[in-house]
Amino acid sequence: MRIVNDKKWNSIIRIAYFIAFCLTEFFLISGSSPYSSLLAVAAVCVGFFLDKNLPIALFICISILKIPLNTAESIIVFAVVIIVFLYEIRMHSISALRHYIGVASIFAISALFSTIFGLNPSLTAFFFFVLNWICVFYIAFCISKGQHQLIFYALLLSGLTVLIQQIINPLSFLEEGAILNSKDVATAIAVPVFLFVWIVINERLSMIIKVLLLVLATLGLITIISTYSRGVLISLFVSILYALFAGIRNKNFLIIIVASVLVIAYFSLADVVVDYDRISANLEGGNGRTEIWRLFFQEIWNLGPSRVLFGCGPGGQIELSIDNTYAHSAILDYFFSFGLFGFSFIIYILSSVLARLIRSKSRFFIGLYILNIFMFSTHGNYVISLFLFLLGICMGAACDDSSFRKEMTFRL
């Protein structure tokens, strides 16, 4: 007779591995240690032998924590992830994803043309862009097969690591040479906050656990407010409202929850030093986003039809800007970088995934999709990691015909 369930014991080992990795990286990055990237590569390589999905999950942690890898280290990490992916697709069918992979392959040809004839040609940027999209399909493959636990542990633990960093050293993203900027901090924390709220609403847990999760969600909300990331706050608020309306049948209880969230947000704002001049300017000018986009569209149009069709290539959009700014939109950046072909590709992927999720009534993943689109419509670029990770998760859920996608669970 077995005293310990092997499956549960293995899950505990994996979680302990994640926690040890995230905490070690936290201390190494905080101390600006040169060993951070070496540990990250070693963790991925060792993870290959512990669990077939650990490398992609650790890659998610590495990307969210922005562990600085050099080119050689990045190639090693990508190589391990892709080797596991190739092994997995030999063992399991990818028929559900075949359509999306086909569309992406056609787009890759167009993107290569954009790279070669772009304003700032960089085959290296194109190469890593393709590798990132391979990881997207690997994540989608894992989710479509119901192998979701490690991926969500990675999102949770890396987000919590960022939250701990901000609790210990508030506003560290303002420090000179900070690895994470304010948007990185806000988006990393927004995902676990949404997950915690969803778990509290939908999972049968003890009251102590629910209170703990709500406390963590509240700390996350306060931290996001301190970053002045209004786009992330709006995204989180909309996605949580969706989760509340979709998950709570007692509307009186729903009103109490929404009121509580508003009260918490109000008192949290009162504790933050508010720059009223900045807020006033943002209300009048839309935080400068509309002006940036107008200038980008104007410049790319002036460059002629070829740029409108194929864009400026990966990294080439910097030539469109003043003071080397970026497009401030992961979605629009597909147009500026890859032209109408790239923009059509990302719009098709996003609309197709959403349509499938709505047809299957995947409440959790629709909420996650809402959070992702709202956050990165006004932030990021074509290769921003978290946007791609969340898109891969939603794509996998859209291609999954099991009941898993409808009622998300986080049990070990």
Side-chain angles (χ1 to χ4, degrees):
M1 181 178 179
R2 294 181 180 178
I3 298 176
V4 181
N5 182 279
D6 287 342
K7 185 175 181 181
K8 189 167 185 176
W9 179 246
N10 289 335
S11 295
I12 292 173
I13 291 175
R14 295 187 199 103
I15 296 172
Y17 188 78
F18 269 118
I19 293 173
F21 173 78
C22 288
L23 286 179
T24 305
E25 286 294 349
F26 166 75
F27 289 115
L28 288 176
I29 293 175
S30 298
S32 300
S33 170
Y35 300 109
S36 178
S37 60
L38 294 177
L39 175 69
V41 174
V44 171
C45 293
V46 173
F48 175 84
F49 298 99
L50 293 178
D51 188 290
K52 60 183 178 302
N53 290 330
L54 259 178
I56 188 66
L58 286 170
F59 175 70
I60 291 173
C61 290
I62 291 169
S63 301
I64 292 177
L65 296 175
K66 278 201 168 181
I67 297 169
L69 304 180
N70 60 36
T71 301
E73 291 167 339
S74 298
I75 291 174
I76 292 173
V77 171
F78 277 118
V80 173
V81 170
I82 292 172
I83 288 171
V84 178
F85 186 27
L86 292 175
Y87 172 79
E88 282 294 291
I89 61 178
R90 285 185 60 192
M91 306 300 293
H92 303 280
S93 171
I94 58 169
S95 56
L97 289 171
R98 200 176 299 278
H99 173 67
Y100 289 119
I101 293 175
V103 172
S105 299
I106 295 172
F107 166 62
I109 297 173
S110 170
L112 178 60
F113 186 90
S114 300
T115 302
I116 295 173
F117 298 100
L119 293 179
N120 184 25
S122 174
L123 286 175
T124 302
F126 170 77
F127 177 67
F128 281 105
F129 170 68
V130 171
L131 292 179
N132 272 283
W133 265 95
I134 293 175
C135 291
V136 170
F137 288 117
Y138 186 12
I139 291 172
F141 170 81
C142 293
I143 297 296
S144 68
K145 299 300 179 184
Q147 302 169 3
H148 63 282
Q149 299 285 18
L150 292 182
I151 289 174
F152 280 97
Y153 289 151
L155 291 171
L156 284 170
L157 290 172
S158 52
L160 285 175
T161 301
V162 175
L163 178 59
I164 292 171
Q165 183 184 46
Q166 292 305 308
I167 291 174
I168 295 175
N169 186 15
L171 304 181
S172 63
F173 51 81
L174 296 176
E175 296 176 357
E176 185 177 354
I179 295 176
L180 299 176
N181 60 38
S182 61
K183 290 291 184 182
D184 295 329
V185 170
T187 53
I189 295 174
V191 176
V193 169
F194 173 77
L195 293 177
F196 289 149
V197 172
W198 180 271
I199 292 171
V200 169
I201 295 170
N202 293 278
E203 297 291 338
R204 294 182 179 179
L205 301 171
S206 67
M207 185 57 66
I208 294 176
I209 298 297
K210 287 192 174 185
V211 170
L212 175 61
L213 294 179
L214 284 175
V215 168
L216 289 173
T218 302
L219 289 173
L221 179 62
I222 294 172
T223 303
I224 293 171
I225 291 172
S226 72
T227 67
Y228 289 104
S229 299
R230 289 165 296 282
V232 177
L233 272 175
I234 293 171
S235 307
L236 189 57
F237 185 72
V238 172
S239 60
I240 287 178
L241 275 182
Y242 168 81
L244 291 171
F245 278 102
I248 297 180
R249 299 183 183 279
N250 187 331
K251 299 308 176 185
N252 291 329
F253 181 61
L254 174 63
I255 292 172
I256 293 173
I257 293 293
V258 173
S260 300
V261 170
L262 292 175
V263 170
I264 291 170
Y266 173 79
F267 283 106
S268 299
L269 273 172
D271 293 332
V272 176
V273 177
V274 179
D275 186 343
Y276 291 101
D277 292 335
R278 179 183 176 186
I279 290 178
S280 176
N282 289 335
L283 289 174
E284 294 175 5
N287 199 23
R289 297 294 195 274
T290 52
E291 182 63 18
I292 291 172
W293 297 335
R294 186 188 67 79
L295 290 174
F296 269 59
F297 277 113
Q298 179 178 309
E299 288 297 319
I300 201 170
W301 183 263
N302 291 339
L303 290 172
S306 62
R307 291 287 171 240
V308 174
L309 287 175
F310 295 101
C312 301
Q317 75 276 16
I318 202 75
E319 304 294 335
L320 302 176
S321 66
I322 300 174
D323 297 329
N324 292 333
T325 188
Y326 63 101
H328 287 79
S329 173
I331 297 172
L332 286 180
D333 200 30
Y334 274 82
F335 174 74
F336 301 130
S337 298
F338 305 108
L340 284 176
F341 286 102
F343 188 65
S344 300
F345 162 75
I346 196 65
I347 292 299
Y348 172 77
I349 294 289
L350 292 174
S351 58
S352 175
V353 168
L354 179 60
R356 288 189 177 209
L357 292 177
I358 292 174
R359 281 200 302 269
S360 61
K361 299 179 181 179
S362 307
R363 296 185 299 117
F364 170 80
F365 293 101
I366 292 174
L368 196 64
Y369 180 96
I370 291 171
L371 177 65
N372 191 31
I373 296 303
F374 271 73
M375 281 199 302
F376 293 107
S377 292
T378 58
H379 170 59
N381 54 42
Y382 65 92
V383 77
I384 192 163
S385 300
L386 187 56
F387 170 70
L388 294 178
F389 296 154
L390 296 179
L391 178 57
I393 290 172
C394 293
M395 184 189 298
C399 294
D400 178 25
D401 291 327
S402 72
S403 59
F404 148 75
R405 66 174 180 236
K406 297 178 182 178
E407 295 297 334
M408 188 66 183
T409 59
F410 294 90
R411 299 183 183 90
L412 298 180

